[in-house]
Amino acid sequence: MASRNHERGVNGLGQQCRRCQANESSIIVRNEALCAECLVKYIQTKVIKRLESFRVRHSAPGRPRKLLLPLSLGISSLTLLHILDGHLRGQRSNTGRTGYALHILHVTTSVQGQWAADPALLKKVKECYPDHVYFAIPLASIFDGDESNGARNTTSAGDHVPSSSSNQNRLDTLLTSLPTPASRSDIISILQTRLIVSFARTAGCESILWGDSTTRLAEKVLASTAKGRGFALPWHICDGPTPYGIDFHYPVRDLLKKELLEHAPLATSSVADIATAPPAPPTPSAAVNVRSSTIDGLVAQYFLKAESDYPSIVSNAVRTAAKLEAAPSDRWGRDGSVCRLCKLPVAEGLFGVTGWGGGRDGGVESRGSEGELCYGCTRSVPRDVVSLLP
Amino acid sequence: MPPPCTRCQSERAVIVRPKNYDKLCKTCFLEVFEAEVHKTITTNALFYPGERVAIGASGGKDSTVLASVLKTLNTRHGYGLDLILLSIDEGITGYRDHSLETVKRNAVQYDLPLKVLSYTELYGWTMDQVVEQVGKKGNCTYCGVFRRQALDRGAASLGVRHVVTGHNADDVAETVLMNLLRGDLPRLSRTASIVTSTPSSAQTDIKRSKPLKYAYEKEIVLYAHHKNLDYFSTECIYSPEAFRGSARTLVKDLERVRPSSILDIVRSGEDMATLVPASVAPKAASGRESRYGGENVSVVYDLDEGTGGCGSANGRDSGGEMARMEHQLRTDQNAATHGLETEVTMASLGTPTSGSSIAVGVRPSHVQMKKANGKGLRQQTAGACERCGYISSQAVCKACVLLEGLNKNRPKASIGIEKTNDSETLDKGLAKVTLAEKKRQQVAQTEL
Ligand SMILES: [Zn+2]
Ligand SMILES: [Zn+2]
Ligand SMILES: [Zn+2]
Ligand SMILES: [Zn+2]
């Protein structure tokens, strides 16, 4: 392991590690100067602590609980995989069995103008962490049958489920019909979530373990708010049951993205080597072409800076937002009143963008999608594009 | 050649609406703008016939447009409102002079009565004197706390129970994001609500509403421009808060990417307010009856004492406020890590000026730490300040605390000249208020 020699002589770096009092510290984590070993321990502990309910004694022998880990191949989901892999090996050597089994799913998103990880990297991941079942499915397979009924067939044996070219065409048509990059980025992430959820349910997984870091969750808080998706915020950031009929867990929620980046090269060469990330969004300036910017990009940019200057404020914002309570099911409106696109429950009368205090009576803004799509989805999908939705 | 107006199809379109890019002629734009404010007023049942309503008037574009539109709609739709302009003179040399002149002209232009109340009358201190005493740094807190109470006190002294303010959609959106960043759920829960009320406490049971809540700042400027309204470009000259500045920049960027963003944030704010746990958001529905407005208007109690500062941030603060909160959170974190628990007090936060705005933002994390011991979120309880009777969640309200500090350090000479202290001044103010209250009750009795 390459010892990272930080040349920052400040903040007690180079002095004794605050935790073990033995090694020389090389990193400042939350005000404490730590050595590499203690940082690795710190990161592991933060994640494992979130997995209390998946201990061996909570599972029946011979029937480990199946959990889905969506792998974007970015730093957060890879770190989560790395830690869970170690966690499982620990369970096996301690008790001879494991509390859960991992299904790893990578959604390939080959969409023009959209960043995507190199799928070949998945092979490398498999070599490093061979004990799990891996799947890769293209985003376009969202058009396979009606996945909302859980009827979609998955060839669970194969690594790749090929998507027919007609599905790819439908996806391309949908995305090119959307008016702005902001809408495209929004819709792609919604379709990804839907696809992952339906895969998890079909595969019989009881929970999805998302790799979102504190920083990513903070982005979600502001981005969801900015997109008019505030009503659904708890379902995007809280641990527990969701209206999708499957539990969501965010085991990396207590760690900042910058901490994961510091940790990766210390923990294992594989994560650092494989981890890919979308290119940093351009620094906003007066000259930036807002027509090519997205809400997600803007917010990511915002937290890139906030995370380095005010990490505790970022964590605090996420902790606080997670205290919001999801709308109880008796406020969801009639049976089946979910948004046609994001599939989340919408309260009676709150579909579309006109039926509220800030909406207008009829007029230009009224859309055919009123009554079908939630507020946020209506903003992203123009009326004439609704028929193209999966 | 400009295209025809999409609404009337006859006039040339001269305005592209910032809200949704509709191309409108001047007449249609003015009509649409007014119609939307009317819709906001009627769907929220903001007023009742014969109601006396004070318009918080600063001479700036928002309150000037509000006054103009309310005057227009009151006549056009027969609201039957008794409108009055209420201005506060903070006593900032060169700042209020011009804007007060503007308000005076507005009073003539709209044929509305005007009442100007000075900080000297209300608190015994002008803002200039406060700045002289505490320095330029942190006086934003005084500005915020004093201003917050001033309108309510002013309204009460006039026997008016309803104050409308010029807060627009941009302001609301910015405050929603700011409260998310600060982790302030109690404020988040009421930011988006169009009506707030300071409960009970006879003198200060004032209803507040924001009829321009859904109006874009850019459209307010356009409206003022095309209506040839006479307003003064004001901006608080004192140091702004970093959180608000940061949120404001983000809102502006978001608006450029998607013009509807401002409205979308407001909508999210309204929806998220319903998700705030009941324990942190006292509502009229839970216990007290609202005596205002239509049947289904939910009045949100506003226990805010203006500790967030004067709210006129422009991103110029170097981030001191955020740095202080960051520091406090880290201290909490360390304490939690080492099994200690520190009480966050005004004292531990340093000066009351910088501290009081921090304390609010810090609480959630503090509560988070305490959660393990059983109790959940902070609950705000309404009570009255034991000195002045103003609504406060503490025994003594923020204004009285600040005044006490100011008066303690007031140079002897100055006391001699002013011959005043906080309780005297506030007593005077309250005497007025109580009188007005009595008058109101008499009126109510005669009505019965
Ligand atoms: Zn160590
Ligand atoms: Zn939706
Ligand atoms: Zn027209
Ligand atoms: Zn008081």
Side-chain angles (χ1 to χ4, degrees):
Chain A
M1 189 186 301
S3 99
R4 301 191 74 202
N5 215 345
H6 288 248
E7 274 141 83
R8 296 169 283 167
V10 286
N11 298 329
L13 278 181
Q15 295 169 8
Q16 236 178 29
C17 167
R18 275 284 294 273
R19 301 233 165 156
C20 63
Q21 312 284 344
N23 303 331
E24 190 181 296
S25 66
S26 58
I27 275 163
I28 302 283
V29 177
R30 317 261 164 146
N31 265 0
E32 288 191 328
L34 300 186
C35 71
E37 231 170 89
C38 289
L39 173 75
V40 170
K41 237 182 267 168
Y42 167 82
I43 299 278
Q44 274 176 359
T45 314
K46 283 278 182 190
V47 174
I48 303 295
K49 220 172 68 187
R50 286 268 156 203
L51 297 168
E52 276 294 306
S53 54
F54 301 113
R55 294 168 73 149
V56 173
R57 60 182 155 88
H58 297 308
S59 81
R63 292 196 53 224
R65 303 152 74 187
K66 272 194 274 182
L67 308 180
L68 187 80
L69 192 165
L71 191 73
S72 70
L73 295 169
I75 187 76
S76 304
S77 57
L78 272 170
T79 303
L80 179 59
L81 171 58
H82 173 77
I83 292 172
L84 294 185
D85 184 73
H87 188 226
L88 285 168
R89 274 188 280 114
Q91 286 187 341
R92 210 175 292 119
S93 71
N94 287 339
T95 68
R97 61 193 184 95
T98 63
Y100 58 95
L102 284 183
H103 277 28
I104 318 285
L105 172 66
H106 176 67
V107 175
T108 55
T109 311
S110 55
V111 176
Q112 251 224 313
Q114 189 74 20
W115 172 85
D118 178 2
L121 291 172
L122 194 62
K123 272 213 164 70
K124 268 169 100 179
V125 177
K126 238 174 121 174
E127 284 159 20
C128 296
Y129 309 101
D131 297 342
H132 319 287
V133 198
Y134 288 80
F135 303 88
I137 52 176
L139 183 59
S141 63
I142 190 85
F143 286 99
D144 284 348
D146 185 358
E147 104 286 354
S148 61
N149 295 335
R152 202 171 54 83
N153 290 318
T154 314
T155 49
S156 51
D159 284 352
H160 286 261
V161 181
S163 178
S164 68
S165 61
S166 76
N167 281 343
Q168 188 61 46
N169 288 342
R170 287 178 70 183
L171 180 64
D172 291 342
T173 311
L174 168 65
L175 294 176
T176 48
S177 307
L178 294 171
T180 60
S183 291
R184 266 193 290 285
S185 153
D186 184 36
I187 299 309
I188 287 172
S189 76
I190 282 170
L191 295 181
Q192 279 170 342
T193 304
R194 249 177 68 174
L195 188 60
I196 290 165
V197 164
S198 97
F199 182 92
R201 294 187 54 177
T202 311
C205 297
E206 65 170 82
S207 288
I208 300 179
L209 306 179
W210 299 98
D212 302 42
S213 62
T214 304
T215 318
R216 177 78 192 107
L217 291 173
E219 291 170 21
K220 277 186 169 178
V221 170
L222 284 205
S224 299
T225 304
K227 294 172 185 174
R229 301 188 179 279
F231 76 100
L233 188 57
W235 296 318
H236 294 302
I237 61 164
C238 298
D239 290 275
T242 66
Y244 295 121
I246 193 164
D247 287 8
F248 282 4
H249 286 273
Y250 299 88
V252 195
R253 70 178 318 131
D254 294 326
L255 293 164
L256 295 162
K257 191 185 258 170
K258 65 172 183 181
E259 290 168 344
L260 300 179
L261 289 168
E262 297 257 31
H263 163 264
L266 301 175
T268 161
S269 58
S270 50
V271 171
D273 287 353
I274 298 165
T276 54
T283 319
S285 69
V288 80
N289 179 10
V290 295
R291 295 273 156 208
S292 66
S293 309
T294 66
I295 290 169
D296 300 307
L298 260 183
V299 169
Q301 182 69 46
Y302 179 86
F303 280 110
L304 194 66
K305 182 158 169 39
E307 180 198 59
S308 85
D309 294 349
Y310 307 112
S312 303
I313 289 178
V314 175
S315 309
N316 184 57
V318 173
R319 274 201 308 272
T320 315
K323 287 178 193 154
L324 291 173
E325 292 168 350
S329 50
D330 60 359
R331 289 218 314 252
W332 290 1
R334 288 169 321 231
D335 288 334
S337 77
V338 297
C339 170
R340 170 172 169 185
L341 177 53
C342 69
K343 303 289 182 193
L344 287 170
V346 179
E348 203 84 44
L350 285 179
F351 281 98
V353 296
T354 58
W356 69 298
R360 291 189 287 155
D361 304 317
V364 229
E365 202 172 11
S366 140
R367 289 168 169 173
S369 49
E370 298 275 332
E372 272 190 285
L373 298 184
C374 74
Y375 183 95
C377 289
T378 310
R379 282 292 185 216
S380 276
V381 182
R383 178 186 189 163
D384 54 346
V385 180
V386 174
S387 62
L388 301 175
L389 294 174
Chain B
M1 202 62 157
C5 166
T6 50
R7 188 160 170 272
C8 66
Q9 306 289 348
S10 57
E11 296 293 311
R12 294 273 159 235
V14 292
I15 292 161
V16 179
R17 285 195 76 181
K19 202 174 191 168
N20 52 23
Y21 293 161
D22 281 358
K23 295 174 186 67
L24 300 176
C25 70
K26 177 178 154 182
T27 316
C28 283
F29 170 73
L30 297 178
E31 277 177 21
V32 165
F33 185 91
E34 287 158 5
E36 287 181 8
V37 179
H38 175 60
K39 190 193 164 209
T40 305
I41 289 169
T42 52
T43 53
N44 291 287
L46 286 190
F47 308 120
Y48 61 81
E51 187 172 15
R52 295 195 72 195
V53 177
I55 302 166
S58 67
K61 59 178 175 4
D62 299 311
S63 62
T64 302
V65 166
L66 178 62
S68 168
V69 171
L70 278 188
K71 173 78 186 181
T72 304
L73 295 177
N74 193 30
T75 311
R76 182 181 299 161
H77 299 287
Y79 291 165
L81 299 181
D82 184 2
L83 297 169
I84 178 171
L85 296 173
L86 173 59
S87 259
I88 304 297
D89 184 358
E90 295 93 337
I92 304 172
T93 311
Y95 168 69
R96 274 294 172 229
D97 306 352
H98 295 288
S99 54
L100 278 176
E101 285 312 309
T102 312
V103 177
K104 283 175 192 161
R105 286 197 305 275
N106 289 161
V108 177
Q109 288 153 0
Y110 309 143
D111 188 25
L112 293 172
L114 165 68
K115 173 72 184 173
V116 180
L117 268 176
S118 72
Y119 270 24
T120 315
E121 286 170 81
L122 288 168
Y123 303 110
W125 288 78
T126 66
M127 266 315 283
D128 281 345
Q129 290 169 332
V130 172
V131 174
E132 205 176 302
Q133 180 103 337
V134 304
K136 279 228 170 190
K137 265 194 180 168
N139 60 60
C140 189
T141 305
Y142 291 83
C143 195
V145 171
F146 287 173
R147 186 176 288 180
R148 182 72 188 83
Q149 293 199 6
L151 277 178
D152 284 357
R153 290 177 186 278
S157 77
L158 298 173
V160 177
R161 323 293 296 175
H162 188 171
V163 177
V164 290
T165 55
H167 291 98
N168 59 41
D170 299 52
D171 295 331
V172 175
E174 177 180 306
T175 312
V176 167
L177 293 192
M178 181 177 79
N179 287 329
L180 283 171
L181 290 171
R182 276 207 298 223
D184 192 337
L185 288 190
R187 278 199 191 151
L188 179 68
S189 73
R190 59 180 180 254
T191 296
S193 107
I194 190 157
V195 177
T196 54
S197 169
T198 45
S200 179
S201 174
Q203 304 88 353
T204 54
D205 193 359
I206 303 290
K207 175 184 175 182
R208 287 233 185 182
S209 63
K210 313 182 261 247
L212 298 183
K213 177 189 167 186
Y214 299 113
Y216 274 39
E217 186 174 273
K218 282 180 179 165
E219 302 205 350
I220 287 170
V221 173
L222 279 174
Y223 185 88
H225 173 73
H226 288 285
K227 263 233 128 143
N228 281 317
L229 297 186
D230 180 8
Y231 69 93
F232 183 75
S233 303
T234 49
E235 212 180 77
C236 182
I237 54 173
Y238 294 126
S239 58
E241 324 160 59
F243 274 108
R244 184 172 288 278
S246 162
R248 181 170 298 179
T249 310
L250 191 55
V251 168
K252 296 259 180 276
D253 286 345
L254 288 166
E255 185 192 8
R256 273 189 283 158
V257 170
R258 183 183 275 184
S260 70
S261 288
I262 290 175
L263 215 45
D264 300 344
I265 295 168
V266 174
R267 168 62 181 255
S268 283
E270 287 182 12
D271 288 342
M272 287 188 292
T274 69
L275 308 179
V276 173
S279 54
V280 289
K283 283 211 175 86
S286 62
R288 289 174 48 84
E289 286 258 317
S290 161
R291 59 191 214 199
Y292 297 116
E295 301 119 81
N296 291 321
V297 180
S298 121
V299 174
V300 175
Y301 282 166
D302 191 351
L303 304 184
D304 198 334
E305 296 184 51
T307 44
C310 69
S312 296
N314 218 359
R316 288 167 299 182
D317 189 338
S318 53
E321 182 201 14
M322 292 177 99
R324 282 191 297 272
M325 179 168 171
E326 175 70 23
H327 177 79
Q328 186 61 45
L329 286 168
R330 286 189 194 183
T331 312
D332 285 1
Q333 179 65 38
N334 280 355
T337 310
H338 298 107
L340 305 168
E341 199 175 288
T342 51
E343 195 66 33
V344 181
T345 60
M346 296 285 281
S348 74
L349 286 161
T351 63
T353 35
S354 58
S356 52
S357 66
I358 296 306
V360 173
V362 157
R363 268 190 202 105
S365 92
H366 184 60
V367 169
Q368 171 91 353
M369 286 161 44
K370 275 194 169 164
K371 216 169 178 179
N373 308 341
K375 206 51 207 141
L377 291 153
R378 166 173 71 130
Q379 179 152 19
Q380 282 191 324
T381 39
C385 168
E386 60 190 32
R387 291 196 196 161
C388 71
Y390 190 84
I391 180 66
S392 176
S393 46
Q394 314 290 322
V396 177
C397 80
K398 292 270 156 47
C400 287
V401 170
L402 293 176
L403 281 171
E404 188 177 29
L406 284 171
N407 290 324
K408 214 176 269 168
N409 299 317
R410 175 165 253 172
K412 289 248 154 49
S414 155
I415 289 178
I417 296 161
E418 298 281 336
K419 282 219 165 104
T420 179
N421 61 43
D422 59 323
S423 50
E424 260 176 43
T425 313
L426 288 179
D427 284 351
K428 258 189 271 165
L430 281 180
K432 257 191 231 162
V433 161
T434 315
L435 256 177
E437 171 67 13
K438 276 199 189 121
K439 230 187 270 171
R440 199 192 60 84
Q441 281 167 350
Q442 279 163 4
V443 172
Q445 275 166 2
T446 33
E447 274 170 3
L448 283 173

